[in-house]
């Protein structure tokens, strides 16, 4: 994170790359959410599955979606892991019991999930369920979180224009807070993954904003920060990035509005501002 003295330096920055319009177009593009030609599991916002080729009972869709998410996040999971996390009361049950035993609901759900996802144009099941110890989707089935991580790694390798574009493409995949609108009793098993997603989105937004401010590209920096704040509105690192962007652009009115928004948020949550935020605001508001 740049120090307060960096704000003035940003304003004097030498002319940088002129890819601001390209990055803004990526960040604002709906293409990141366009349907693919195979099923796609989306976690970076409200959880859903797009592009399935089969059918399923409408009432079963929430449970089947959660099972699909589990297999997307933990490919190769076996019966025991699936039952342990998704059917805690059934973890000890035999998936293929004798007539007197109690049956796990998992085999039927896996069959329903395979039927819902359907088959590829070549006739292969998107979820193979025959003769397997663990369950994984076919490679054609995609997940936005996998794509985000791939773009993140590409973007962090260097500070080139291509790398910045990769970070922008990653942020464009974010439709809202991960697992938004999920039913309260579901996805408890995915809490660590959810926290990882939030942290990665915040890190990506901060990194892209910091890079763009070095080039005096305030618009892309602002757009990147807003993507992060939509997911983690109380992360003050991102608010500080926004303050830098407005101060270095000489946009005092926007700076004051942004400060007021954070102040209102801190009052609402009863949390004091970080010392770093207070020190930065003292410098920015005194010098603007």
């Amino acid at each position: 994170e740049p120090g307060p003295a960096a704000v003035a330096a940003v304003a004097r920055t030498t002319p940088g790359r002129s890819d601001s319009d390209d990055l803004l177009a990526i960040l604002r593009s709906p293409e990141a959410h366009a349907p693919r030609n195979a099923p796609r599991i989306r976690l970076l916002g409200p959880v859903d599955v797009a592009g399935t080729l089969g059918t399923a009972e409408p009432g079963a869709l929430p449970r089947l979606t959660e099972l699909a998410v589990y297999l997307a996040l933990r490919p190769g999971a076996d019966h025991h892991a699936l039952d342990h996390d998704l059917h805690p009361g059934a973890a000890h049950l035999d998936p293929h019991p004798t007539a007197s035993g109690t049956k796990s609901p998992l085999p039927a759900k896996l069959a329903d999930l395979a039927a819902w996802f359907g088959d590829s144009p070549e006739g292969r099941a998107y979820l193979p369920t025959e003769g397997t110890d663990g369950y994984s989707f076919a490679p054609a089935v995609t997940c936005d979180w996998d794509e985000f991580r791939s773009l993140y790694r590409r973007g962090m390798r260097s500070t080139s224009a291509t790398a910045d574009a990769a970070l922008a493409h990653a942020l464009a995949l974010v439709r809202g807070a991960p697992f938004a609108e999920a039913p309260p009793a579901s996805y408890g098993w995915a809490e660590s993954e959810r926290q990882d997603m939030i942290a990665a989105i915040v890190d990506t937004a901060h990194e892209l904003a910091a890079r763009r401010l070095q080039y005096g590209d305030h618009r892309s920096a602002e757009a990147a920060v807003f993507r992060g704040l939509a997911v983690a509105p109380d992360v003050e690192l991102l608010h500080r990035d926004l303050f830098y962007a407005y101060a270095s652009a000489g946009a005092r009115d926007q700076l004051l509005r942004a400060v007021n928004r954070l102040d209102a948020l801190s009052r609402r949550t009863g949390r004091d501002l970080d010392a770093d935020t207070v020190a930065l605001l003292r410098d920015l508001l005194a010098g603007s």
Side-chain angles (χ1 to χ4, degrees):
E1 184 186 344
V7 175
V10 169
R12 299 192 304 270
T13 190
T14 52
R17 299 192 300 258
S18 58
D19 49 358
S20 171
D21 289 343
D22 295 341
L23 290 176
L24 281 172
I26 292 168
L27 285 164
R28 294 169 178 169
S29 169
E31 277 179 32
H33 314 301
R36 309 299 206 269
N37 51 9
R40 180 167 177 77
I41 298 156
R42 304 195 302 175
L43 310 178
L44 303 177
V47 176
D48 68 11
V49 179
T52 55
L53 298 177
T55 57
E57 290 291 327
L61 288 179
R63 291 189 300 280
L64 293 181
T65 298
E66 186 171 7
L67 177 56
V69 170
Y70 192 99
L71 293 178
L73 291 176
R74 304 182 189 179
D78 61 13
H79 264 283
H80 178 76
L82 285 159
D83 265 336
H84 179 272
D85 290 331
L86 297 178
H87 315 119
H92 63 288
L93 299 178
D94 186 339
H96 308 290
T98 59
S100 60
T102 309
K103 189 175 182 181
S104 160
L106 188 58
K109 271 176 67 173
L110 284 163
D112 289 346
L113 182 62
W116 182 33
F117 270 61
D119 295 342
S120 71
E122 298 78 39
R124 296 195 188 91
Y126 283 123
L127 176 62
T129 56
E130 291 302 315
T132 176
D133 293 327
Y135 298 92
S136 298
F137 287 113
V141 175
T142 57
C143 174
D144 58 358
W145 174 229
D146 291 338
E147 192 174 333
F148 183 101
R149 286 184 295 179
S150 172
L151 288 162
Y152 174 87
R153 286 192 294 269
R154 208 180 310 160
M156 290 296 188
R157 272 191 212 125
S158 76
T159 54
S160 65
T162 311
D164 287 4
L167 295 181
H169 276 295
L171 289 174
L173 294 170
V174 179
R175 297 167 295 119
F179 293 92
E181 301 169 24
S186 59
Y187 299 101
W189 54 269
E191 183 55 25
S192 66
E193 284 99 333
R194 190 178 76 86
Q195 294 298 334
D196 286 348
M197 291 173 194
I198 292 170
I201 292 165
V202 168
D203 192 31
T204 305
H206 169 64
E207 176 68 19
L208 184 56
R211 290 184 189 184
R212 300 316 302 173
L213 286 175
Q214 290 180 325
Y215 294 104
D217 178 6
H218 309 106
R219 292 187 309 153
S220 297
E222 178 192 48
V225 170
F226 278 147
R227 283 283 173 155
L229 286 174
V231 167
D234 55 347
V235 171
E236 288 185 36
L237 173 66
L238 294 177
H239 288 278
R240 292 195 293 272
D241 289 336
L242 199 57
F243 300 158
Y244 282 122
Y246 292 145
S248 58
R252 185 175 170 80
D253 287 351
Q254 284 177 289
L255 171 60
L256 292 175
R257 278 200 296 273
V259 171
N260 288 337
R261 278 199 304 272
L262 178 58
D263 185 52
L265 179 68
S266 75
R267 287 172 195 272
R268 229 175 19 249
T269 57
R271 251 187 52 190
D272 291 336
L273 295 180
D274 294 348
D276 286 350
T277 304
V278 174
L280 172 64
L281 287 175
R282 193 179 297 125
D283 285 358
L284 293 182
L285 296 173
S288 60

